[in-house]
Amino acid sequence: MRRLPLRRLVTLATLAVVGAATLGSTAACGDDSEGTGGSSGPVTLRLGYFPNITHAPAVVGVEKGIFAEKLGTDVKLDPKTFNAGPAAIEAVFSGALDATYIGPNPTVNAFSKSKGEAVRVVSGAASGGVALVVKPGITGVQDLKGKKISTPQLGNTQDVAIRYWLKQQGLTTTKEGGGDVKIVPQENAQTIETFNSGAIDGAWVPEPFVSRLLNAGGKVLVDERDLWPDKKFVITNLLVSTKFLKAHPDVVQKLVDGQVAANEFVNSKPDEAQQAISDAIGKITGKPLDLKLIKQAWPTLEFTNDPISSSLKAGLDHAVDVGLTEPVDLKGLYDLTYLNNALKAQGKPEVVQP
């Protein structure tokens, strides 16, 4: 049987989710009760996340029952996994998701496309975990001229980061893969193969692909943490549908309570969290993520409830600077009321509303 490529599988999965949501909304004839519970029964919270290390709070929160505990018996948790930000955002727009863990670039795109109406960031989740890994013979930025470097997707968070960094170093790139350094967008899963075959000379990618490339003989040329104040930049935050937020603010509060509790677990019990991530990814994908790989990648990540809004704004400015997007007014994107309620209840410092 011919195997479909990963991108096609993700597209099909997204269409299936969107189709199911469309049928649900049609059956309800405009009544929100079927999609989110309402008066007919418990509220259903459809939560999206990615089966990877940068979404560790979500993976652990689901796997260890932390979200279910915080949500209580009046809320039914319906977790859904995705492999790409655009697919998750499309599911939010279609009404198939109520909330999702997501990266900064898809967050900005969702806010922009909906003219600031459809989504709100209610918490951070993770920072760091991104690097430029190259062949051993590349010792400095000057050696990158004429080389091919991969990123996960044209215009995604890592793609913007390397194009901006190269521009700061005086090197050019183009959307079409030209310029001084040829940027080759490709699925992260392909990167190890193309790196080993010599088709690319390096990649600007998130974990665990950084660690996989290092184990394949690469070396870190740029740790992205070194490019940001205090080595902090958002890699994952928690986004909710504005429609769901307005209809069920109490459920969103419980979800954020769960996020804070999941991060507490991840940070206080790293060994148990790492095992939970390996097990959960095994259940979702059919193949557990190597525990040694998770432990190798772990120190490059910081699991924080602060969404580090300044880095998201800077990332948007970088995308504008390299010609990959238009300016966006981010006013209204963040609603950290629920996060600060959760932090205050635990006697922790609140996050300043941006």
Side-chain angles (χ1 to χ4, degrees), residues 185-320:
Q186 61 185 214
E187 297 280 356
N188 283 331
Q190 293 179 276
T191 303
I192 309 304
E193 180 182 341
T194 53
F195 185 79
N196 284 331
S197 70
I200 61 171
D201 302 289
W204 194 295
V205 288
E207 290 288 9
F209 300 98
V210 171
S211 293
R212 284 176 169 162
L213 288 170
L214 292 176
N215 294 344
K219 70 174 187 179
V220 172
L221 185 66
V222 179
D223 183 330
E224 193 174 338
R225 291 177 296 176
D226 295 334
L227 307 180
W228 293 94
D230 301 321
K231 295 182 178 291
K232 297 178 186 293
F233 65 98
V234 61
I235 186 66
T236 310
N237 53 38
L238 176 56
L239 192 77
V240 299
S241 157
T242 307
K243 182 179 179 181
F244 187 88
L245 179 63
K246 290 179 178 178
H248 303 287
D250 55 329
V251 177
V252 172
Q253 182 64 68
K254 293 174 182 178
L255 172 62
V256 176
D257 290 345
Q259 154 57 33
V260 172
N263 256 358
E264 179 69 24
F265 187 99
V266 166
N267 287 315
S268 64
K269 301 177 180 179
D271 291 339
E272 195 173 340
Q274 291 159 14
Q275 186 65 59
I277 291 167
S278 177
D279 294 342
I281 291 176
K283 293 176 185 176
I284 294 165
T285 67
K287 183 180 180 180
L289 186 60
D290 187 349
L291 192 57
K292 291 181 180 178
L293 195 69
I294 297 174
K295 291 184 179 295
Q296 181 180 347
W298 204 258
T300 71
L301 285 152
E302 179 182 353
F303 300 105
T304 173
N305 299 306
D306 187 342
I308 319 174
S309 60
S310 59
S311 69
L312 183 139
K313 175 61 168 64
L316 170 60
D317 293 340
H318 297 168
V320 172

Side-chain angles (χ1 to χ4, degrees), residues 82-154:
F82 294 82
N83 290 307
I89 292 301
E90 180 57 35
V92 172
F93 280 175
S94 74
L97 275 185
D98 304 307
T100 188
Y101 284 81
I102 198 83
N105 206 60
T107 297
V108 171
N109 289 342
F111 191 74
S112 174
K113 287 180 180 179
S114 68
K115 302 186 185 305
E117 295 296 327
V119 297
R120 295 291 182 266
V121 172
V122 293
S123 178
S127 166
V130 181
L132 170 59
V133 181
V134 297
K135 296 287 188 180
I138 298 174
T139 60
V141 65
Q142 71 280 355
D143 296 328
L144 293 174
K145 195 167 185 178
K147 299 295 192 295
K148 292 182 179 180
I149 305 295
S150 78
T151 63
Q153 186 179 35
L154 176 64

Side-chain angles (χ1 to χ4, degrees), residues 33-61:
S33 63
E34 185 157 325
T36 55
S39 58
S40 61
V43 174
T44 296
L45 171 63
R46 296 159 298 183
L47 177 66
Y49 65 100
F50 299 1
N52 63 34
I53 303 174
T54 56
H55 286 228
V59 178
V60 171

Side-chain angles (χ1 to χ4, degrees), residues 167-191:
K167 184 177 180 180
Q168 298 300 106
Q169 310 305 313
L171 295 174
T172 61
T173 62
T174 71
K175 295 178 185 177
E176 298 73 28
D180 295 328
V181 181
K182 304 182 190 316
I183 304 299
V184 185
Q186 61 185 214
E187 297 280 356
N188 283 331
Q190 293 179 276
T191 303

